[in-house]
Amino acid sequence: MKRNQVSAVVIARDEENEIADCLTSIITAVPDEIIVVVDDRTIDTTCEKARQFTEKVYLVNGVRGKLRNYGWQIARNEIVCFIDADMRIPRDYFEKIIPVRFASGTKDGEK
């Protein structure tokens, strides 16, 4: 996998008990990739905990789709994965999805 080929956009809201495990699982899978956390009006310590893993932590007021779009605009790598803050991804998560993307025979959204 090429360096910085994947961006992980993590959507969160009041996930202080989950965010560290989520971000640790992403870093374990691909330590050199870009992680963006987009938080929706958190009133707990989610943002502070997320900043221990990435400087790309943004507070955005809106519905989940708006948060995902915001994160995608920042991430803009070849592959962008959307992950909820309460998820844990397996070590081989990105290794499995990258071949699927390139096996499709499409490039840059072509059909």
Side-chain angles (χ1 to χ4, degrees), residues 9-38:
V9 175
V10 179
I11 306 302
R13 182 175 187 196
D14 296 327
E15 295 285 356
E16 68 183 359
N17 295 324
E18 305 291 335
I19 193 74
D21 288 341
C22 174
L23 296 175
T24 297
S25 74
I26 296 168
I27 291 168
T28 300
V30 280
D32 295 326
E33 300 310 324
I34 295 171
I35 300 173
V36 177
V37 176
V38 184

PDB file of all heavy atoms in Angstrom, residues 9-38:
ATOM      1  N   VAL A   9     -11.987   8.970   7.990  1.00  0.00           N
ATOM      2  CA  VAL A   9     -12.802  10.041   8.544  1.00  0.00           C
ATOM      3  C   VAL A   9     -13.674   9.422   9.627  1.00  0.00           C
ATOM      4  O   VAL A   9     -14.488   8.542   9.358  1.00  0.00           O
ATOM      5  CB  VAL A   9     -13.670  10.711   7.462  1.00  0.00           C
ATOM      6  CG1 VAL A   9     -14.599  11.750   8.087  1.00  0.00           C
ATOM      7  CG2 VAL A   9     -12.794  11.355   6.401  1.00  0.00           C
ATOM      8  N   VAL A  10     -13.469   9.860  10.853  1.00  0.00           N
ATOM      9  CA  VAL A  10     -14.192   9.324  12.006  1.00  0.00           C
ATOM     10  C   VAL A  10     -15.256  10.330  12.421  1.00  0.00           C
ATOM     11  O   VAL A  10     -14.953  11.490  12.688  1.00  0.00           O
ATOM     12  CB  VAL A  10     -13.239   9.031  13.174  1.00  0.00           C
ATOM     13  CG1 VAL A  10     -14.008   8.495  14.377  1.00  0.00           C
ATOM     14  CG2 VAL A  10     -12.150   8.053  12.741  1.00  0.00           C
ATOM     15  N   ILE A  11     -16.498   9.861  12.450  1.00  0.00           N
ATOM     16  CA  ILE A  11     -17.622  10.692  12.855  1.00  0.00           C
ATOM     17  C   ILE A  11     -17.925  10.415  14.327  1.00  0.00           C
ATOM     18  O   ILE A  11     -18.056   9.258  14.725  1.00  0.00           O
ATOM     19  CB  ILE A  11     -18.868  10.384  11.996  1.00  0.00           C
ATOM     20  CG1 ILE A  11     -18.537  10.512  10.501  1.00  0.00           C
ATOM     21  CG2 ILE A  11     -20.039  11.275  12.390  1.00  0.00           C
ATOM     22  CD1 ILE A  11     -18.018  11.850  10.074  1.00  0.00           C
ATOM     23  N   ALA A  12     -18.038  11.477  15.131  1.00  0.00           N
ATOM     24  CA  ALA A  12     -18.204  11.278  16.571  1.00  0.00           C
ATOM     25  C   ALA A  12     -19.195  12.276  17.164  1.00  0.00           C
ATOM     26  O   ALA A  12     -19.381  13.378  16.641  1.00  0.00           O
ATOM     27  CB  ALA A  12     -16.859  11.438  17.272  1.00  0.00           C
ATOM     28  N   ARG A  13     -19.799  11.853  18.260  1.00  0.00           N
ATOM     29  CA  ARG A  13     -20.591  12.747  19.111  1.00  0.00           C
ATOM     30  C   ARG A  13     -20.677  12.113  20.493  1.00  0.00           C
ATOM     31  O   ARG A  13     -21.236  11.028  20.650  1.00  0.00           O
ATOM     32  CB  ARG A  13     -21.990  12.971  18.559  1.00  0.00           C
ATOM     33  CG  ARG A  13     -22.776  13.933  19.434  1.00  0.00           C
ATOM     34  CD  ARG A  13     -24.110  14.263  18.865  1.00  0.00           C
ATOM     35  NE  ARG A  13     -24.734  15.311  19.657  1.00  0.00           N
ATOM     36  CZ  ARG A  13     -26.008  15.603  19.590  1.00  0.00           C
ATOM     37  NH1 ARG A  13     -26.790  14.955  18.759  1.00  0.00           N
ATOM     38  NH2 ARG A  13     -26.503  16.550  20.340  1.00  0.00           N
ATOM     39  N   ASP A  14     -20.104  12.778  21.460  1.00  0.00           N
ATOM     40  CA  ASP A  14     -20.101  12.290  22.844  1.00  0.00           C
ATOM     41  C   ASP A  14     -19.598  10.853  22.927  1.00  0.00           C
ATOM     42  O   ASP A  14     -20.251   9.975  23.470  1.00  0.00           O
ATOM     43  CB  ASP A  14     -21.498  12.413  23.466  1.00  0.00           C
ATOM     44  CG  ASP A  14     -21.946  13.857  23.570  1.00  0.00           C
ATOM     45  OD1 ASP A  14     -21.082  14.734  23.781  1.00  0.00           O
ATOM     46  OD2 ASP A  14     -23.151  14.117  23.438  1.00  0.00           O
ATOM     47  N   GLU A  15     -18.419  10.612  22.384  1.00  0.00           N
ATOM     48  CA  GLU A  15     -17.831   9.269  22.335  1.00  0.00           C
ATOM     49  C   GLU A  15     -16.542   9.191  23.154  1.00  0.00           C
ATOM     50  O   GLU A  15     -15.620   8.468  22.795  1.00  0.00           O
ATOM     51  CB  GLU A  15     -17.544   8.882  20.886  1.00  0.00           C
ATOM     52  CG  GLU A  15     -18.769   8.738  20.024  1.00  0.00           C
ATOM     53  CD  GLU A  15     -19.558   7.463  20.298  1.00  0.00           C
ATOM     54  OE1 GLU A  15     -19.123   6.639  21.120  1.00  0.00           O
ATOM     55  OE2 GLU A  15     -20.615   7.308  19.665  1.00  0.00           O
ATOM     56  N   GLU A  16     -16.471   9.903  24.264  1.00  0.00           N
ATOM     57  CA  GLU A  16     -15.241   9.924  25.047  1.00  0.00           C
ATOM     58  C   GLU A  16     -14.814   8.538  25.526  1.00  0.00           C
ATOM     59  O   GLU A  16     -13.626   8.292  25.720  1.00  0.00           O
ATOM     60  CB  GLU A  16     -15.366  10.873  26.240  1.00  0.00           C
ATOM     61  CG  GLU A  16     -16.338  10.431  27.308  1.00  0.00           C
ATOM     62  CD  GLU A  16     -16.473  11.434  28.442  1.00  0.00           C
ATOM     63  OE1 GLU A  16     -15.792  12.482  28.428  1.00  0.00           O
ATOM     64  OE2 GLU A  16     -17.281  11.167  29.349  1.00  0.00           O
ATOM     65  N   ASN A  17     -15.747   7.624  25.680  1.00  0.00           N
ATOM     66  CA  ASN A  17     -15.406   6.266  26.130  1.00  0.00           C
ATOM     67  C   ASN A  17     -15.009   5.341  24.984  1.00  0.00           C
ATOM     68  O   ASN A  17     -14.564   4.217  25.235  1.00  0.00           O
ATOM     69  CB  ASN A  17     -16.568   5.656  26.911  1.00  0.00           C
ATOM     70  CG  ASN A  17     -16.839   6.402  28.197  1.00  0.00           C
ATOM     71  OD1 ASN A  17     -15.920   6.880  28.853  1.00  0.00           O
ATOM     72  ND2 ASN A  17     -18.108   6.531  28.546  1.00  0.00           N
ATOM     73  N   GLU A  18     -15.182   5.796  23.752  1.00  0.00           N
ATOM     74  CA  GLU A  18     -14.934   4.943  22.583  1.00  0.00           C
ATOM     75  C   GLU A  18     -13.833   5.445  21.654  1.00  0.00           C
ATOM     76  O   GLU A  18     -13.179   4.667  20.976  1.00  0.00           O
ATOM     77  CB  GLU A  18     -16.228   4.801  21.754  1.00  0.00           C
ATOM     78  CG  GLU A  18     -17.426   4.295  22.521  1.00  0.00           C
ATOM     79  CD  GLU A  18     -17.283   2.850  22.939  1.00  0.00           C
ATOM     80  OE1 GLU A  18     -16.522   2.103  22.282  1.00  0.00           O
ATOM     81  OE2 GLU A  18     -17.931   2.454  23.922  1.00  0.00           O
ATOM     82  N   ILE A  19     -13.632   6.753  21.592  1.00  0.00           N
ATOM     83  CA  ILE A  19     -12.785   7.352  20.558  1.00  0.00           C
ATOM     84  C   ILE A  19     -11.341   6.860  20.592  1.00  0.00           C
ATOM     85  O   ILE A  19     -10.744   6.610  19.544  1.00  0.00           O
ATOM     86  CB  ILE A  19     -12.864   8.902  20.596  1.00  0.00           C
ATOM     87  CG1 ILE A  19     -12.252   9.508  19.329  1.00  0.00           C
ATOM     88  CG2 ILE A  19     -12.210   9.468  21.842  1.00  0.00           C
ATOM     89  CD1 ILE A  19     -13.074   9.363  18.107  1.00  0.00           C
ATOM     90  N   ALA A  20     -10.762   6.690  21.749  1.00  0.00           N
ATOM     91  CA  ALA A  20      -9.362   6.253  21.828  1.00  0.00           C
ATOM     92  C   ALA A  20      -9.193   4.849  21.246  1.00  0.00           C
ATOM     93  O   ALA A  20      -8.252   4.608  20.486  1.00  0.00           O
ATOM     94  CB  ALA A  20      -8.862   6.297  23.271  1.00  0.00           C
ATOM     95  N   ASP A  21     -10.102   3.933  21.565  1.00  0.00           N
ATOM     96  CA  ASP A  21     -10.009   2.577  21.015  1.00  0.00           C
ATOM     97  C   ASP A  21     -10.214   2.576  19.509  1.00  0.00           C
ATOM     98  O   ASP A  21      -9.540   1.848  18.778  1.00  0.00           O
ATOM     99  CB  ASP A  21     -11.032   1.651  21.680  1.00  0.00           C
ATOM    100  CG  ASP A  21     -10.666   1.319  23.115  1.00  0.00           C
ATOM    101  OD1 ASP A  21      -9.488   1.489  23.501  1.00  0.00           O
ATOM    102  OD2 ASP A  21     -11.575   0.882  23.851  1.00  0.00           O
ATOM    103  N   CYS A  22     -11.125   3.406  19.034  1.00  0.00           N
ATOM    104  CA  CYS A  22     -11.362   3.510  17.590  1.00  0.00           C
ATOM    105  C   CYS A  22     -10.105   4.002  16.875  1.00  0.00           C
ATOM    106  O   CYS A  22      -9.646   3.393  15.905  1.00  0.00           O
ATOM    107  CB  CYS A  22     -12.525   4.456  17.323  1.00  0.00           C
ATOM    108  SG  CYS A  22     -12.807   4.788  15.574  1.00  0.00           S
ATOM    109  N   LEU A  23      -9.538   5.107  17.350  1.00  0.00           N
ATOM    110  CA  LEU A  23      -8.366   5.680  16.688  1.00  0.00           C
ATOM    111  C   LEU A  23      -7.148   4.771  16.824  1.00  0.00           C
ATOM    112  O   LEU A  23      -6.348   4.667  15.885  1.00  0.00           O
ATOM    113  CB  LEU A  23      -8.092   7.073  17.252  1.00  0.00           C
ATOM    114  CG  LEU A  23      -9.207   8.097  16.992  1.00  0.00           C
ATOM    115  CD1 LEU A  23      -8.907   9.414  17.686  1.00  0.00           C
ATOM    116  CD2 LEU A  23      -9.438   8.292  15.508  1.00  0.00           C
ATOM    117  N   THR A  24      -7.018   4.082  17.931  1.00  0.00           N
ATOM    118  CA  THR A  24      -5.924   3.125  18.092  1.00  0.00           C
ATOM    119  C   THR A  24      -6.049   2.010  17.063  1.00  0.00           C
ATOM    120  O   THR A  24      -5.044   1.595  16.465  1.00  0.00           O
ATOM    121  CB  THR A  24      -5.919   2.535  19.516  1.00  0.00           C
ATOM    122  OG1 THR A  24      -5.684   3.605  20.439  1.00  0.00           O
ATOM    123  CG2 THR A  24      -4.841   1.478  19.679  1.00  0.00           C
ATOM    124  N   SER A  25      -7.267   1.543  16.813  1.00  0.00           N
ATOM    125  CA  SER A  25      -7.442   0.468  15.823  1.00  0.00           C
ATOM    126  C   SER A  25      -7.077   0.939  14.419  1.00  0.00           C
ATOM    127  O   SER A  25      -6.498   0.192  13.634  1.00  0.00           O
ATOM    128  CB  SER A  25      -8.876  -0.087  15.858  1.00  0.00           C
ATOM    129  OG  SER A  25      -9.814   0.797  15.280  1.00  0.00           O
ATOM    130  N   ILE A  26      -7.366   2.186  14.107  1.00  0.00           N
ATOM    131  CA  ILE A  26      -7.003   2.730  12.786  1.00  0.00           C
ATOM    132  C   ILE A  26      -5.489   2.856  12.672  1.00  0.00           C
ATOM    133  O   ILE A  26      -4.895   2.443  11.667  1.00  0.00           O
ATOM    134  CB  ILE A  26      -7.683   4.094  12.559  1.00  0.00           C
ATOM    135  CG1 ILE A  26      -9.205   3.931  12.512  1.00  0.00           C
ATOM    136  CG2 ILE A  26      -7.171   4.742  11.271  1.00  0.00           C
ATOM    137  CD1 ILE A  26      -9.962   5.238  12.587  1.00  0.00           C
ATOM    138  N   ILE A  27      -4.860   3.411  13.681  1.00  0.00           N
ATOM    139  CA  ILE A  27      -3.402   3.583  13.659  1.00  0.00           C
ATOM    140  C   ILE A  27      -2.688   2.237  13.599  1.00  0.00           C
ATOM    141  O   ILE A  27      -1.665   2.097  12.936  1.00  0.00           O
ATOM    142  CB  ILE A  27      -2.949   4.416  14.871  1.00  0.00           C
ATOM    143  CG1 ILE A  27      -3.434   5.858  14.692  1.00  0.00           C
ATOM    144  CG2 ILE A  27      -1.450   4.363  15.067  1.00  0.00           C
ATOM    145  CD1 ILE A  27      -3.309   6.715  15.928  1.00  0.00           C
ATOM    146  N   THR A  28      -3.228   1.247  14.275  1.00  0.00           N
ATOM    147  CA  THR A  28      -2.644  -0.094  14.234  1.00  0.00           C
ATOM    148  C   THR A  28      -2.726  -0.681  12.829  1.00  0.00           C
ATOM    149  O   THR A  28      -1.804  -1.334  12.367  1.00  0.00           O
ATOM    150  CB  THR A  28      -3.362  -1.019  15.234  1.00  0.00           C
ATOM    151  OG1 THR A  28      -3.206  -0.462  16.542  1.00  0.00           O
ATOM    152  CG2 THR A  28      -2.783  -2.408  15.217  1.00  0.00           C
ATOM    153  N   ALA A  29      -3.823  -0.400  12.141  1.00  0.00           N
ATOM    154  CA  ALA A  29      -4.001  -0.927  10.782  1.00  0.00           C
ATOM    155  C   ALA A  29      -3.108  -0.207   9.775  1.00  0.00           C
ATOM    156  O   ALA A  29      -2.505  -0.847   8.910  1.00  0.00           O
ATOM    157  CB  ALA A  29      -5.465  -0.818  10.360  1.00  0.00           C
ATOM    158  N   VAL A  30      -3.018   1.087   9.859  1.00  0.00           N
ATOM    159  CA  VAL A  30      -2.214   1.886   8.927  1.00  0.00           C
ATOM    160  C   VAL A  30      -1.634   3.107   9.638  1.00  0.00           C
ATOM    161  O   VAL A  30      -2.229   4.170   9.632  1.00  0.00           O
ATOM    162  CB  VAL A  30      -3.017   2.328   7.688  1.00  0.00           C
ATOM    163  CG1 VAL A  30      -3.137   1.252   6.679  1.00  0.00           C
ATOM    164  CG2 VAL A  30      -4.366   2.867   8.058  1.00  0.00           C
ATOM    165  N   PRO A  31      -0.472   2.961  10.223  1.00  0.00           N
ATOM    166  CA  PRO A  31       0.069   4.035  11.049  1.00  0.00           C
ATOM    167  C   PRO A  31       0.386   5.336  10.328  1.00  0.00           C
ATOM    168  O   PRO A  31       0.423   6.384  10.950  1.00  0.00           O
ATOM    169  CB  PRO A  31       1.338   3.419  11.642  1.00  0.00           C
ATOM    170  CG  PRO A  31       1.654   2.244  10.803  1.00  0.00           C
ATOM    171  CD  PRO A  31       0.373   1.782  10.190  1.00  0.00           C
ATOM    172  N   ASP A  32       0.609   5.323   9.030  1.00  0.00           N
ATOM    173  CA  ASP A  32       1.015   6.531   8.325  1.00  0.00           C
ATOM    174  C   ASP A  32      -0.117   7.229   7.586  1.00  0.00           C
ATOM    175  O   ASP A  32       0.126   8.175   6.845  1.00  0.00           O
ATOM    176  CB  ASP A  32       2.121   6.200   7.314  1.00  0.00           C
ATOM    177  CG  ASP A  32       3.382   5.737   8.004  1.00  0.00           C
ATOM    178  OD1 ASP A  32       3.667   6.244   9.099  1.00  0.00           O
ATOM    179  OD2 ASP A  32       4.068   4.859   7.462  1.00  0.00           O
ATOM    180  N   GLU A  33      -1.324   6.776   7.768  1.00  0.00           N
ATOM    181  CA  GLU A  33      -2.432   7.359   7.013  1.00  0.00           C
ATOM    182  C   GLU A  33      -3.014   8.571   7.723  1.00  0.00           C
ATOM    183  O   GLU A  33      -2.738   8.833   8.888  1.00  0.00           O
ATOM    184  CB  GLU A  33      -3.504   6.301   6.749  1.00  0.00           C
ATOM    185  CG  GLU A  33      -3.001   5.113   5.961  1.00  0.00           C
ATOM    186  CD  GLU A  33      -2.245   5.465   4.687  1.00  0.00           C
ATOM    187  OE1 GLU A  33      -2.602   6.432   4.007  1.00  0.00           O
ATOM    188  OE2 GLU A  33      -1.295   4.759   4.360  1.00  0.00           O
ATOM    189  N   ILE A  34      -3.833   9.303   7.015  1.00  0.00           N
ATOM    190  CA  ILE A  34      -4.431  10.526   7.535  1.00  0.00           C
ATOM    191  C   ILE A  34      -5.728  10.188   8.263  1.00  0.00           C
ATOM    192  O   ILE A  34      -6.580   9.491   7.724  1.00  0.00           O
ATOM    193  CB  ILE A  34      -4.704  11.515   6.391  1.00  0.00           C
ATOM    194  CG1 ILE A  34      -3.377  11.955   5.764  1.00  0.00           C
ATOM    195  CG2 ILE A  34      -5.501  12.714   6.884  1.00  0.00           C
ATOM    196  CD1 ILE A  34      -3.528  12.746   4.500  1.00  0.00           C
ATOM    197  N   ILE A  35      -5.855  10.696   9.467  1.00  0.00           N
ATOM    198  CA  ILE A  35      -7.075  10.502  10.253  1.00  0.00           C
ATOM    199  C   ILE A  35      -7.700  11.868  10.503  1.00  0.00           C
ATOM    200  O   ILE A  35      -7.043  12.788  10.977  1.00  0.00           O
ATOM    201  CB  ILE A  35      -6.797   9.811  11.595  1.00  0.00           C
ATOM    202  CG1 ILE A  35      -6.175   8.433  11.364  1.00  0.00           C
ATOM    203  CG2 ILE A  35      -8.087   9.700  12.409  1.00  0.00           C
ATOM    204  CD1 ILE A  35      -5.725   7.756  12.641  1.00  0.00           C
ATOM    205  N   VAL A  36      -8.984  11.981  10.172  1.00  0.00           N
ATOM    206  CA  VAL A  36      -9.747  13.196  10.391  1.00  0.00           C
ATOM    207  C   VAL A  36     -10.906  12.840  11.316  1.00  0.00           C
ATOM    208  O   VAL A  36     -11.635  11.883  11.043  1.00  0.00           O
ATOM    209  CB  VAL A  36     -10.296  13.764   9.060  1.00  0.00           C
ATOM    210  CG1 VAL A  36     -11.159  14.982   9.308  1.00  0.00           C
ATOM    211  CG2 VAL A  36      -9.170  14.074   8.094  1.00  0.00           C
ATOM    212  N   VAL A  37     -11.070  13.570  12.401  1.00  0.00           N
ATOM    213  CA  VAL A  37     -12.204  13.367  13.297  1.00  0.00           C
ATOM    214  C   VAL A  37     -13.137  14.562  13.149  1.00  0.00           C
ATOM    215  O   VAL A  37     -12.713  15.708  13.289  1.00  0.00           O
ATOM    216  CB  VAL A  37     -11.759  13.213  14.769  1.00  0.00           C
ATOM    217  CG1 VAL A  37     -12.972  13.096  15.689  1.00  0.00           C
ATOM    218  CG2 VAL A  37     -10.836  12.008  14.922  1.00  0.00           C
ATOM    219  N   VAL A  38     -14.400  14.274  12.831  1.00  0.00           N
ATOM    220  CA  VAL A  38     -15.402  15.323  12.721  1.00  0.00           C
ATOM    221  C   VAL A  38     -16.434  15.054  13.811  1.00  0.00           C
ATOM    222  O   VAL A  38     -17.059  14.003  13.833  1.00  0.00           O
ATOM    223  CB  VAL A  38     -16.069  15.343  11.330  1.00  0.00           C
ATOM    224  CG1 VAL A  38     -17.032  16.517  11.226  1.00  0.00           C
ATOM    225  CG2 VAL A  38     -15.017  15.422  10.228  1.00  0.00           C
TER     226      VAL A  38
END
